[in-house]
Amino acid sequence: MNRALPETLQWQQQQQSYFSELSGVFPSQTSYLCFDGGFMSSDSVVTREVKPDNGLETAWPEQGKLEMGSFGFEFEPCGPSYNMNYAISRTSSCPLAAAELVSGKMGSGSAVGSGNESFKKRKADKLQNSKAVVEDDSMKKIKAYEEEGESKITGPSNSNKSKHKKENSTDTSKENSKVSEVQKPDYIHVRARRGQATDSHSLAERVRREKISERMKYLQDLVPGCNKITGKAGMLDEIINYVQSLQRQVEFLSMKLAAVNPRLDFNIDNLFTKVEEFPTVQEVANPIHYQHFNPAQEVVSETALRRTISAPVTIPDASFLDSSCFAQIQPSAAWDDVELQNLYNVGRFH
Amino acid sequence: MWTPCGMARMRPHSSLKQEFLKEWIKGLQRCSFPKKSILERKKAIKLSADIAMASARNGTTCWSRALISSAARDGSDNNHLVKQILGPESDRPAMENKAPAREASVCKKILKRSCRIRRRGRRKCGAAAAAPSSIAKHLVKKRRQILRSLIPGGEFMNEICLIEETLDYITSLRVQVDVMRSLATASVRGTE
């Protein structure tokens, strides 16, 4: 549980670093970020709103006003606000009449608890203003649960008690091979108790659940910080957060690219050809700075970009630029992507 | 044993990046750029990136088809841009998507109708819902709904399909973010 926290913190820090990068690029972001709402497609599910303006000053005293503005504007129209509400509904104290009820009674309560901690650390300094909104929402949630009462409720509770008995009996009686795979009590506890189906359907249900859990395991490997969470709801939450953060990163990066390149001429073809043209630079770079092989190639690519963007530079100038750029590049942390190096490598040999 | 296609694609990571980058740059070059507004440029960049990402899958995954079809839907403002980006060579995935778009709207209606009926049925049975199973069910269902809204074309998938698509979508998003990030830092350094 504690190990998941640094990962999520790192992830959040990464997000924040993007925010700060972006705020460095623009002096005023208000118009842009309002427009951002149009791109998020998750509006249909979300009806709750975050009111960021009141709480912003109190919630983030340490960040610049610019970033607060950016946070606020982003959250207003978008889907992530619902997610924030969800996270907050787990961490804020009062409406956890609802959450404690949930975590107390759920079998995967420990999972929710661990999810609570990670969310607390991640969102603790954000969105305390939305507590009021969340309280109302959680009260509504409780009422909704009571209203939407199902007859299936008695069904699941009975079937849960008899589930283990059923498992044993079917193991002895059934000849299907898939039943033997199911004899794993740990995740049966954890999976949601929706086994209200009768015997004829139970096998299909079990198969389906097996498939789902298998795929969730792959997702666990993919999403960082998901290893410690065993509950389905918690894992889904992590997955949702991750997907949303990736989508947000794409938005910000495209905005950054739009800001940096007024003419949008990346000219990768030029870049690849220029890389071919400077084999000597590459060879000089390689033996000397082998551990900075990455930046060496990036330097060449940068000179190529510079060629396309600014006035043409002669080759001796290019080599001079290369050496001067080494000092700039070395402390960079962004160029540790070996795969991008491979990318450029392969591109060079096209 | 089921091996997810996402996992299979994770191994040739660099080739996927390369493909994405090529497609993206091609798409960007096809866009006409007398655009002064930064927002329009951003839209063009993001759109071409999304379409490049989706076309890298060549129509094998549901989300990629849904992404392209939603981008190419008639009546949207960026329709002309999409047509430009897609270009003549990628007619095939675009053509494939016209049928799913129609089916998609039909499926949506059916889903909505069934949800309405189910909700009505639930209200008729007025038992108290304080049992943990129902709350757990509701929580998971809510999250699944959110996930469906996030993944393009997610409304029409069942659970298993949804998780598979999520896997693939996450890997593609990662590739997209990595490539965009490196290009962004490269161009920032280039203009310094």
Side-chain angles (χ1 to χ4, degrees), chain A residues 67-110:
Chain A
E67 292 173 58
M68 278 159 45
S70 74
F71 268 117
F73 279 116
E74 187 199 353
F75 291 151
E76 237 169 23
C78 301
S81 63
Y82 184 88
N83 184 41
M84 298 298 179
N85 280 338
Y86 242 112
I88 292 297
S89 76
R90 292 208 204 152
T91 61
S92 52
S93 51
C94 168
L96 304 211
E100 275 168 4
L101 180 78
V102 167
S103 57
K105 293 193 180 175
M106 265 171 68
S108 56
S110 59

Side-chain angles (χ1 to χ4, degrees), chain B residues 48-71:
Chain B
S48 47
D50 286 341
I51 291 181
M53 187 173 75
S55 60
R57 286 283 177 247
N58 274 329
T60 47
T61 55
C62 193
W63 67 264
S64 57
R65 289 181 298 214
L67 192 69
I68 293 183
S69 64
S70 68

Side-chain angles (χ1 to χ4, degrees), chain B residues 12-149:
Chain B
H13 209 58
S14 55
S15 70
L16 185 64
K17 279 191 182 176
Q18 193 187 343
E19 206 180 320
F20 166 69
L21 185 65
K22 273 197 289 189
E23 292 282 328
W24 184 29
I25 297 298
K26 262 192 260 173
L28 279 176
Q29 285 171 347
R30 269 190 223 121
C31 291
S32 55
F33 293 131
K35 300 191 196 291
K36 311 294 180 199
S37 155
I38 193 172
L39 293 169
E40 291 194 12
R41 263 181 281 140
K42 176 219 170 182
K43 200 199 272 189
I45 290 175
K46 180 167 189 291
L47 197 63
S48 47
D50 286 341
I51 291 181
M53 187 173 75
S55 60
R57 286 283 177 247
N58 274 329
T60 47
T61 55
C62 193
W63 67 264
S64 57
R65 289 181 298 214
L67 192 69
I68 293 183
S69 64
S70 68
R73 201 164 292 151
D74 288 336
S76 65
D77 348 335
N78 47 11
N79 195 24
H80 64 287
L81 199 61
V82 171
K83 290 261 166 45
Q84 274 181 315
I85 292 176
L86 281 178
E89 51 192 55
S90 34
D91 273 338
R92 194 175 33 91
M95 299 281 264
E96 282 176 24
N97 290 322
K98 295 216 176 123
R102 260 180 273 125
E103 291 171 13
S105 52
V106 171
C107 291
K108 245 188 196 169
K109 290 180 194 160
I110 294 175
L111 263 175
K112 282 188 187 155
R113 228 179 291 146
S114 65
C115 287
R116 245 180 285 139
I117 292 171
R118 219 182 301 157
R119 239 178 282 142
R120 244 181 275 138
R122 282 204 194 123
R123 285 205 200 100
K124 285 180 185 165
C125 331
S133 56
S134 63
I135 291 184
K137 228 183 288 190
H138 275 285
L139 274 184
V140 174
K141 185 174 274 180
K142 291 255 154 111
R143 280 165 176 78
R144 217 177 291 134
Q145 273 177 17
I146 301 176
L147 193 61
R148 278 207 177 97
S149 69

Side-chain angles (χ1 to χ4, degrees), chain A residues 6-279:
Chain A
E7 291 172 15
T8 55
L9 274 177
Q10 190 192 23
W11 174 14
Q12 190 203 12
Q13 281 167 14
Q14 221 186 12
Q15 287 185 17
Q16 293 192 355
S17 71
Y18 279 123
F19 289 148
S20 54
E21 271 184 33
L22 202 56
S23 62
V25 173
F26 302 107
S28 64
Q29 310 177 17
T30 58
S31 58
Y32 141 66
L33 283 161
C34 278
F35 194 83
D36 200 18
F39 291 103
M40 301 297 259
S41 58
S42 52
D43 279 335
S44 53
V45 178
V46 174
T47 53
R48 301 161 197 194
E49 286 176 1
V50 177
K51 304 183 188 76
D53 299 318
N54 314 331
L56 268 181
E57 282 76 16
T58 58
W60 305 318
E62 67 276 4
Q63 294 181 10
K65 196 166 201 297
L66 194 61
E67 292 173 58
M68 278 159 45
S70 74
F71 268 117
F73 279 116
E74 187 199 353
F75 291 151
E76 237 169 23
C78 301
S81 63
Y82 184 88
N83 184 41
M84 298 298 179
N85 280 338
Y86 242 112
I88 292 297
S89 76
R90 292 208 204 152
T91 61
S92 52
S93 51
C94 168
L96 304 211
E100 275 168 4
L101 180 78
V102 167
S103 57
K105 293 193 180 175
M106 265 171 68
S108 56
S110 59
V112 176
S114 66
N116 269 342
E117 295 237 9
S118 65
F119 279 117
K120 255 187 215 165
K121 290 276 166 147
R122 218 193 307 151
K123 321 270 187 191
D125 53 345
K126 281 200 253 182
L127 296 182
Q128 295 163 13
N129 53 325
S130 63
K131 256 189 196 175
V133 181
V134 171
E135 286 179 25
D136 296 337
D137 293 336
S138 59
M139 287 305 146
K140 282 183 212 161
K141 252 191 259 177
I142 297 176
K143 287 176 194 161
Y145 288 149
E146 292 169 355
E147 282 173 6
E148 282 193 57
E150 308 167 3
S151 63
K152 293 187 216 164
I153 295 151
T154 56
S157 54
N158 291 334
S159 70
N160 289 335
K161 291 168 200 162
S162 59
K163 188 182 279 206
H164 297 286
K165 289 186 205 163
K166 215 196 286 181
E167 296 288 350
N168 297 331
S169 63
T170 49
D171 277 345
T172 53
S173 62
K174 296 269 181 172
E175 58 282 348
N176 201 327
S177 59
K178 289 181 183 152
V179 175
S180 59
E181 291 171 9
V182 173
Q183 189 70 308
K184 289 169 200 165
D186 51 352
Y187 83 85
I188 286 179
H189 279 296
V190 162
R191 291 300 166 211
R193 289 130 193 210
R194 65 178 91 94
Q196 77 277 12
T198 60
D199 250 13
S200 57
H201 296 293
S202 65
L203 193 62
E205 267 282 316
R206 215 173 289 138
V207 164
R208 185 177 142 269
R209 263 179 273 143
E210 258 290 317
K211 279 192 194 167
I212 289 175
S213 65
E214 200 184 334
R215 281 144 178 80
M216 293 288 259
K217 273 184 212 140
Y218 284 114
L219 272 174
Q220 258 189 334
D221 299 330
L222 202 57
V223 177
C226 219
N227 306 323
K228 312 304 171 195
I229 299 179
T230 48
K232 204 173 197 176
M235 269 174 53
L236 278 175
D237 236 350
E238 287 285 335
I239 293 163
I240 287 169
N241 283 334
Y242 191 55
V243 169
Q244 281 175 343
S245 80
L246 282 175
Q247 286 175 341
R248 261 179 272 150
Q249 279 182 23
V250 167
E251 298 266 340
F252 282 127
L253 282 169
S254 61
M255 195 62 198
K256 187 172 182 179
L257 279 168
V260 162
N261 280 52
R263 285 178 297 147
L264 280 178
D265 50 355
F266 296 104
N267 277 329
I268 291 293
D269 296 331
N270 254 346
L271 185 138
F272 285 147
T273 56
K274 292 296 184 282
V275 171
E276 281 163 17
E277 275 179 52
F278 301 144

